[in-house]
Amino acid sequence: EPEVTQTPSHQVTQMGQEVILRCVPISNHLYFYWYRQILGQKVEFLVSFYNNEISEKSEIFDDQFSVERPDGSNFTLKIRSTKLEDSAMYFCASRPSLGYTGELFFGEGSRLTVL
Amino acid sequence: QQQVKQSPQSLIVQKGGIPIINCAYENTAFDYFPWYQQFPGKGPALLIAIRPDVSEKKEGRFTISFNKSAKQFSLHIMDSQPGDSATYFCAATSSSGTYKYIFGTGTRLKVLA
């Protein structure tokens, strides 16, 4: 069964360092998302991406964050200068097409720990 | 208006019990309401979902009840099992926008053997 894959599964970084989280969405999907979940809290929307551009972003997604689809398969989230409060689980999700009104498919997440 | 309120925060039931988790929303543009199940260290996985044109949907032991006028929906787990112990999130989205999900705060369910 096709799945969304994320790497790394866990990254530990020092405050102020840049981090790139990678996602490979399901191959025929066109819409991509990043969500964040601080430990024990709810899953929060960060950004949606379609046709090589951001279609919506939340207030959490400030200038420190950026997303990119550098090739036909990867979808990345970059945090330029990490802060302690960026420590969270980051989930990538994807869905097929504009007319599809169903499930968002989530990856297993990348745990980011900022020291 | 974008919030989805979920209760209770945690729930403990005996095996075979019927835990009920409730969610409420405000945005009438929401037209798809999924429930996700999350095990520790894993990503959320879709359990069941409903659209507002039906009042109930059943899949196996999981049932969603939907009250459009009250803007509420709930998840019932019949004959709950210890393997159902997980965190459950309700969510809502509008098919007219970017289809981002607004998640509830989650309910940690523990089913005792």
Side-chain angles (χ1 to χ4, degrees):
Chain A
E1 189 175 317
E3 58 182 20
V4 177
T5 56
Q6 290 186 240
T7 54
S9 57
H10 188 193
Q11 181 154 357
V12 181
T13 191
Q14 294 291 327
M15 193 168 55
Q17 294 297 303
E18 176 182 284
V19 159
I20 297 176
L21 305 178
R22 292 183 168 78
C23 169
V24 180
I26 295 171
S27 63
N28 63 342
H29 286 193
L30 300 178
Y31 287 80
F32 314 111
Y33 304 81
W34 282 102
Y35 286 79
R36 178 181 83 173
Q37 185 179 31
I38 294 171
L39 187 63
Q41 298 185 25
K42 71 175 178 180
V43 180
E44 300 175 288
F45 169 77
L46 290 179
V47 66
S48 60
F49 190 87
Y50 169 71
N51 200 25
N52 282 319
E53 60 183 27
I54 291 172
S55 46
E56 186 174 355
K57 59 183 180 180
S58 72
E59 59 273 10
I60 302 168
F61 194 88
D62 61 22
D63 292 343
Q64 296 282 59
F65 292 90
S66 62
V67 288
E68 197 176 41
R69 189 157 160 82
D71 52 43
S73 58
N74 290 284
F75 178 51
T76 62
L77 174 69
K78 183 193 287 187
I79 309 174
R80 285 191 188 82
S81 179
T82 49
K83 304 180 212 141
L84 295 176
E85 55 265 36
D86 294 327
S87 294
M89 195 76 156
Y90 289 82
F91 293 104
C92 175
S94 68
R95 69 181 177 98
S97 65
L98 181 61
Y100 174 84
T101 53
E103 178 181 359
L104 275 189
F105 295 81
F106 283 83
E108 298 232 317
S110 293
R111 180 172 299 285
L112 175 64
T113 302
V114 182
L115 303 176
Chain B
Q1 254 228 332
Q2 287 291 318
Q3 277 191 347
V4 176
K5 294 181 182 176
Q6 183 172 346
S7 62
Q9 194 172 0
S10 63
L11 196 49
I12 301 174
V13 298
Q14 294 289 334
K15 179 182 172 183
I18 305 177
I20 300 173
I21 306 170
N22 300 298
C23 284
Y25 65 98
E26 295 173 355
N27 188 344
T28 54
F30 289 152
D31 57 5
Y32 181 73
F33 303 89
W35 283 90
Y36 276 75
Q37 180 188 55
Q38 185 181 33
F39 293 103
K42 299 291 186 182
L46 180 69
L47 199 58
I48 187 173
I50 197 167
R51 301 182 200 282
D53 52 345
V54 296
S55 59
E56 185 176 280
K57 184 173 180 182
K58 190 175 292 188
E59 283 183 7
R61 295 185 293 106
F62 301 93
T63 299
I64 301 179
S65 298
F66 187 83
N67 185 330
K68 188 175 180 178
S69 60
K71 292 186 282 204
Q72 294 175 347
F73 57 109
S74 58
L75 176 70
H76 301 230
I77 306 175
M78 307 301 176
D79 186 28
S80 58
Q81 302 296 312
D84 296 329
S85 298
T87 299
Y88 293 82
F89 292 95
C90 63
T93 189
S94 168
S95 57
S96 62
T98 58
Y99 212 70
K100 72 179 184 191
Y101 281 9
I102 306 297
F103 281 90
T105 48
T107 296
R108 205 164 294 164
L109 172 66
K110 187 172 178 66
V111 181
L112 302 174

